[in-house]
Amino acid sequence: MEQVAELLGLHVRTVRGYVRDGKLPAARIGKQYRITHDDLETFTGLPIGTPKPTAAGHAEASCIVEIDDIDRATVDRVTTLLTATASTRGPGGRPLRVETSYDPARHRLKVILLGGLADTARLLDYLDGVLAP
């Protein structure tokens, strides 16, 4: 969705609306949607260039952190910190994605981070600072 929105110069919510309304065909895979190049060209009525490959040497990290024995107030603090920090991009300007899931019965927080190496490391450092005794 993000790539299509960037190619068309639209907001991601607009593209999601087109998919939801059936105007733009998309296949759902897990929690994400995939839009084929042919469907995108049919939708726009114009030839669409292939997306530019990422810069050479670019690396991304995916990280899952599980935190046990955490109370709801700390969960709220950690979630707010991570989402606010993720919205500020580092020098590379690459998006950083943060997802959290809290299981109140087990007092366990799961944090999923996806992004550039430096930004992910920065978030892990912040997280360590918040959770340190």
Side-chain angles (χ1 to χ4, degrees):
M1 292 274 199
E2 290 82 10
Q3 288 176 337
V4 170
E6 187 176 326
L7 276 170
L8 299 178
L10 299 172
H11 195 277
V12 176
R13 288 184 187 148
T14 304
V15 175
R16 284 189 190 128
Y18 290 146
V19 170
R20 185 179 44 251
D21 295 342
K23 295 177 183 176
L24 178 59
R28 185 173 181 154
I29 300 173
K31 291 185 177 183
Q32 298 183 358
Y33 285 91
R34 300 287 188 225
I35 299 167
T36 66
H37 189 264
D38 291 340
D39 286 338
L40 186 57
E41 285 187 343
T42 301
F43 175 75
T44 62
L46 301 169
I48 303 291
T50 55
K52 296 176 185 173
T54 57
H58 174 75
E60 290 193 348
S62 60
C63 179
I64 299 174
V65 179
E66 290 188 5
I67 305 163
D68 290 323
D69 196 26
I70 186 169
D71 60 85
R72 186 66 200 190
T74 307
V75 167
D76 292 340
R77 244 180 55 229
V78 166
T79 302
T80 301
L81 170 77
L82 293 176
T83 53
T85 305
S87 66
T88 61
R89 295 181 180 170
R94 309 289 297 170
L96 183 61
R97 188 167 151 199
V98 175
E99 292 186 25
T100 60
S101 175
Y102 180 60
D103 182 352
R106 295 169 59 192
H107 301 283
R108 174 179 283 170
L109 174 66
K110 185 179 285 189
V111 178
I112 303 169
L113 305 173
L114 304 164
L117 299 177
D119 289 336
T120 303
R122 180 172 50 104
L123 270 175
L124 288 171
D125 197 32
Y126 288 162
L127 184 59
D128 186 46
V130 169
L131 298 174

